[in-house]
Amino acid sequence: MTKVALITGATSGFGKACAELLAKNGWNLVLCGRRQERLQELEAQLKNVSVYTAVCDVRNGSEVKQLIAGLPSSHAQIDLLLNNAGLALGLSPAYEADLVDWETMVDTNIKGLMYMTRAVLPSMVERGQGHIINMGSVAGSWPYPGANAYGATKAFVEQFSNNLRADVHGSGVRVSNVEPGLAESEFSVVRFQGDQQKADAVYEGTEPLTPEDIAKTVYWIATQPAHVNINRLEIMPVCQTWGPFAIHRKG
Ligand code: NDP
Ligand code: 8X3
């Protein structure tokens, strides 16, 4: 039977690339994001599969509930929920960061992911099948200057994924956390509030991961045999690794 994947944040970057790869492999799709035009463009581009698009701001719990409750029967049984919608805002140290940015990251990366999970999971458990793949980040495990609230939201995603697994144990439902490092998408443009030059500088002289790399990873995780659960998968480009501890010296 044709599988159905629901992807949050399908209008750009990882979410869009995942939609394209899943469609290529015959999956029917529920695609959401806030930008309607982008959703329509993507729907028109994806041929031979059934695509249901919905404008949905994951920060709004009732919008999320309505979306799931109102899915047409053809798309109501979600086999794969890809909780991908998310963002980083700013790179300032915590003592200068904008509190509203922190709240937006918490509302999107944490609360939005919780709303969607809570809305979709009961049916998966009832049916004894389904897979939730959450989009974490290396920033959830490794601290770096300016990651403050963003990294902490992704640490939440990692632990929430582990705890979900503990809760669904015995049900057949799978939960995975993908943790990418440097990857070029609209991520940095969003982080720097539309400053394209600043965003480009992040990737200058590097060969970052691409959204297609992440889509292949997600697809591999989603197509493992039913008895296999990839708990977490951290992925970086070869050009990225860890630095030494920062030691502040007097004088
Ligand atoms: P993009 O900015 O290209 O895509 C982000 C997606 O999230 C967009 O489709 C956007 O859609 C959606 N989104 C943001 N806020 C909301 C919201 N409130 N409601 C619904 N959708 C929302 O970035 P990426 O593809 O790179 O990011 C995808 C995920 O991967 C994020 O969770 C990010 O934290 C994570 N990540 C990114 C890395 C990177 O280096 N690029 C590395 C590690 C993790 P719209 O604006 O239309 O709502
Ligand atoms: C995005 C990757 O390294 O910019 O989650 O935090 S990083």
Side-chain angles (χ1 to χ4, degrees):
M1 202 162 124
T2 306
K3 295 202 170 205
V4 177
L6 187 158
I7 303 176
T8 66
T11 55
S12 167
F14 300 171
K16 181 167 182 276
C18 288
E20 289 165 346
L21 186 60
L22 286 165
K24 204 169 144 196
N25 285 279
W27 290 56
N28 289 338
L29 298 169
V30 179
L31 305 177
C32 15
R34 291 164 302 173
R35 287 170 289 179
Q36 184 165 28
E37 258 179 43
R38 295 266 190 118
L39 288 172
Q40 285 167 343
E41 277 166 26
L42 188 55
E43 184 177 358
Q45 176 202 324
L46 301 174
K47 310 279 183 216
N48 306 324
V49 291
S50 178
V51 180
Y52 178 86
T53 59
V55 172
C56 177
D57 186 330
V58 295
R59 293 172 297 178
N60 184 326
S62 30
E63 258 183 48
V64 170
K65 250 189 178 170
Q66 271 173 28
L67 163 70
I68 301 306
L71 286 174
S73 57
S74 54
H75 291 73
Q77 297 206 341
I78 309 292
D79 297 291
L80 168 64
L81 166 62
L82 177 58
N83 272 320
N84 164 75
L87 78 178
L89 291 172
L91 197 60
S92 307
Y95 49 85
E96 288 171 357
D98 185 339
L99 259 180
V100 176
D101 285 349
W102 282 8
E103 283 169 349
T104 306
M105 289 187 277
V106 168
D107 289 346
T108 312
N109 303 355
I110 296 183
K111 290 167 77 177
L113 184 142
M114 288 198 297
Y115 296 149
M116 195 54 83
T117 301
R118 186 62 185 81
V120 172
L121 190 55
S123 152
M124 287 185 171
V125 171
E126 202 180 301
R127 286 180 288 131
Q129 69 170 75
H131 197 160
I132 297 182
I133 301 184
N134 292 326
M135 199 53 72
S137 167
V138 292
S141 309
W142 310 104
Y144 64 84
N148 41 67
Y150 174 68
T153 65
K154 293 301 186 180
F156 170 90
V157 174
E158 181 185 351
Q159 195 59 18
F160 189 60
S161 305
N162 295 337
N163 287 337
L164 282 176
R165 270 222 77 204
D167 283 351
V168 300
H169 183 224
S171 72
V173 174
R174 298 187 281 180
V175 185
S176 309
N177 191 39
V178 181
E179 304 168 16
L182 187 78
E184 191 163 5
S185 62
E186 292 178 13
F187 177 81
S188 293
V189 184
V190 171
R191 176 172 238 172
F192 298 122
Q193 263 117 15
D195 187 332
Q196 188 67 53
Q197 261 188 332
K198 238 175 161 178
D200 289 345
V202 172
Y203 310 105
E204 206 177 299
T206 74
E207 188 173 357
L209 296 171
T210 64
E212 290 70 31
D213 294 324
I214 302 307
K216 281 186 212 157
T217 304
V218 166
Y219 187 71
W220 177 77
I221 293 173
T223 53
Q224 289 305 297
H227 68 285
V228 176
N229 192 96
I230 306 300
N231 296 338
R232 53 184 294 269
L233 194 154
E234 184 179 274
I235 170 171
M236 286 179 180
V238 172
C239 66
Q240 182 178 32
T241 179
W242 309 272
F245 285 122
I247 312 288
H248 177 71
R249 299 179 195 281
K250 291 181 201 158

